[in-house]
Amino acid sequence: MTLEEAQKQVDTWIQTVGVRYFSELTNMAMLTEEVGEVARIIARRYGEQSEKESDKQKDLGDEMADVLFVLICLANQTGVNLTEALEKNMQKKTIRDADRHHNNPKLK
């Protein structure tokens, strides 16, 4: 699925199942909440925190998909074409960071 297809699929879902988009502020709060759930799994599963039994059943991919879903909602609401935005962002990073990471002694 392309980003464009994902944006269309989320919009269709919102219009049919979800009734309407939540406000941008509500979705921003939801995005923060979903990112926190991803952070919790990463911190416990891959970091130094011990993982609770209840957290071991959490599906990292599903939580990441929740983040992506809300991000797509925000993009749709604010008129952002994620394909164009990502392409432009990758160009910016490529120009800005052409030598930056290769010259970073921390990464060697």
Side-chain angles (χ1 to χ4, degrees):
M1 174 185 314
T2 66
L3 287 171
E4 183 179 344
E5 291 167 339
Q7 284 192 253
K8 287 178 183 173
Q9 186 173 350
V10 167
D11 189 62
T12 298
W13 187 92
I14 291 292
Q15 301 303 326
T16 57
V17 178
V19 180
R20 67 170 178 82
Y21 285 94
F22 295 130
S23 74
E24 293 85 352
L25 289 175
T26 298
N27 275 336
M28 187 63 229
M30 290 173 59
L31 179 62
T32 303
E33 179 182 8
E34 297 298 351
V35 169
E37 291 176 21
V38 170
R40 179 185 179 103
I41 293 171
I42 296 290
R44 286 170 169 74
R45 198 165 294 165
Y46 303 99
E48 283 73 37
Q49 286 189 312
S50 57
E51 191 169 24
K52 296 178 181 178
E53 278 303 315
S54 60
D55 289 337
K56 291 180 180 178
Q57 304 304 317
K58 301 277 184 177
D59 181 343
L60 180 58
D62 185 56
E63 297 301 337
M64 287 180 172
D66 285 342
V67 170
L68 185 57
F69 180 88
V70 179
L71 183 65
I72 290 171
C73 286
L74 282 166
N76 286 351
Q77 289 174 278
T78 58
V80 172
N81 178 313
L82 287 173
T83 300
E84 291 174 5
L86 182 58
E87 287 171 351
K88 183 178 176 182
N89 187 269
M90 291 300 298
Q91 289 173 355
K92 175 189 78 174
K93 285 176 179 14
T94 300
I95 292 166
R96 181 191 67 199
D97 300 333
D99 295 319
R100 178 176 166 212
H101 299 300
H102 290 284
N103 296 325
N104 182 347
K106 297 178 196 176
L107 297 177
K108 296 193 188 247

